[in-house]
Amino acid sequence: MANGQWFPSDWPERIRALADGTLTPVTPKRAATVLLLRDADGGPAVHMLRRRASMAFAGGAYAYPGGGVDPRDDERLVRWAGPTRAWWAERLGVDEAAAQAIVCAAVRETYEEAGVLLAGPTADSVVGDTTGADWEADRAAVAARDLSFAEFLDRRGLVLRSDLLGAWTRWITPEFEPRRYDTWFFVAALPEGQRTRNASTEADRTVWIRPQEAATGYDKGELTMMPPTIATLRQLTPYATAAEALAAAPRRDLTPVLAEARLTEDEIVLSWPGHGEFTKHIPIGAGGGPA
């Protein structure tokens, strides 16, 4: 493997089945993930976690805190700071209820998996410390889905700081995947006074790493990543500070990136529009299947 791109062994077979019409694409679930940034020597560093090798999907791959939308966060209005729900709806290309749920998912997953909470008692503050036993009990309840994030914010009297997030890009899992997500990627800066920790049951390691360093590790085959992860890392390299990256977010194109599979006589060509480095040419054997 020349680089660290994660490539499931069953993709060729599933791509062929999709082309043959014997595979019906799964409807993607909405999801959110967050590139949490902090300033460091030589530019901003990003918080990444390594998925446990035992995980069925992308085991051993580096990723960001993230996960699926909780439908309960569509239903209950939360205390909200920053751009309005209508603004977020237009920015994300969804209705207002879905926009709230997606932003809630981004903030919730950052709290669940990194222990960092983008919320505060007022519209211009953030909590300073989330490491106490009572905080941990609430975090565990949210992670277990015993408590919705909207309920958690209400119980704590907290305001969700949507102004601390910037929508960065959007990727949809390829149609031939058995589990599919429509994922919005956000950037955010680590709030002053808070610190990250590995709070995820799905990760065995977390790191703060500069995007260029992580990309170099990927290029050498030392760090395994899925296409959206390495793509977003490369997109962050021009920025000297976390604030610069956040300031650039409103100008980012959120047109979804969706892989395309094309069949020729002797190979399957898999590509991601606008991301030529991920193009794969998969030989087809004499019997018509992957070689």
Side-chain angles (χ1 to χ4, degrees):
M1 181 169 63
N3 56 35
Q5 183 177 348
W6 182 72
F7 187 81
S9 59
D10 65 343
W11 270 12
E13 180 181 349
R14 296 186 65 85
I15 291 169
R16 183 73 181 194
L18 180 67
D20 289 344
T22 56
L23 176 67
T24 301
V26 175
T27 300
K29 298 179 180 179
R30 295 174 299 170
T33 191
V34 177
L35 287 67
L36 190 63
L37 307 173
R38 72 178 184 189
D39 290 330
D41 293 338
V46 61
H47 178 72
M48 303 189 75
L49 53 85
R50 184 176 66 186
R51 293 173 58 83
R52 293 186 183 277
S54 59
M55 298 294 292
F57 181 78
Y62 281 80
Y64 314 113
V69 163
D70 184 342
R72 294 175 296 177
D73 291 333
D74 289 49
E75 303 164 356
R76 182 171 183 165
L77 286 179
V78 301
R79 298 178 186 178
W80 191 273
T84 65
R85 292 170 181 79
W87 184 93
W88 278 108
E90 182 175 358
R91 178 73 179 120
L92 302 179
V94 296
D95 61 37
E96 290 188 30
Q100 173 178 290
I102 293 164
V103 172
C104 277
V107 177
R108 185 197 72 235
E109 289 290 335
T110 306
Y111 181 46
E112 282 186 23
E113 299 192 350
V116 170
L117 183 57
L118 304 177
T122 65
D124 58 359
S125 65
V126 291
V127 297
D129 184 7
T130 64
T131 58
D134 59 334
W135 282 103
E136 178 57 23
D138 277 353
R139 190 204 65 79
V142 171
R145 299 297 182 265
D146 295 333
L147 184 68
S148 77
F149 192 65
E151 291 169 338
F152 161 76
L153 293 173
D154 188 54
R155 172 188 294 185
R156 287 273 178 178
L158 295 175
V159 180
L160 185 146
R161 293 289 306 276
S162 82
D163 54 318
L164 300 182
L165 289 169
W168 191 257
T169 190
R170 180 181 178 186
W171 287 62
I172 300 177
T173 309
E175 291 183 326
F176 45 82
E177 276 279 34
R179 290 183 295 182
R180 302 185 64 215
Y181 295 94
D182 185 354
T183 305
W184 285 262
F185 287 70
F186 296 84
V187 291
L190 179 68
E192 185 176 352
Q194 295 193 39
R195 63 180 186 270
T196 57
R197 59 192 176 89
N198 184 7
S200 172
T201 59
E202 298 180 355
D204 61 9
R205 183 189 184 205
T206 61
V207 296
W208 281 99
I209 188 169
R210 287 185 294 112
Q212 184 56 60
E213 182 182 350
T216 298
Y218 168 89
D219 290 337
K220 292 180 177 180
E222 298 170 352
L223 300 181
T224 301
M225 300 179 201
M226 292 177 283
T229 309
I230 181 59
T232 48
L233 285 169
R234 296 201 198 283
Q235 291 161 357
L236 286 174
T237 55
Y239 301 101
T241 65
E244 282 187 15
L246 281 164
R251 301 187 298 274
R252 295 278 307 167
D253 182 8
L254 294 187
T255 302
V257 179
L258 175 64
E260 298 175 349
R262 176 169 55 87
L263 281 174
T264 68
E265 290 185 0
D266 55 2
E267 67 177 3
I268 297 169
V269 181
L270 178 61
S271 62
W272 281 259
H275 299 273
E277 72 167 297
F278 305 130
T279 299
K280 287 284 186 182
H281 296 265
I282 306 165
I284 297 175

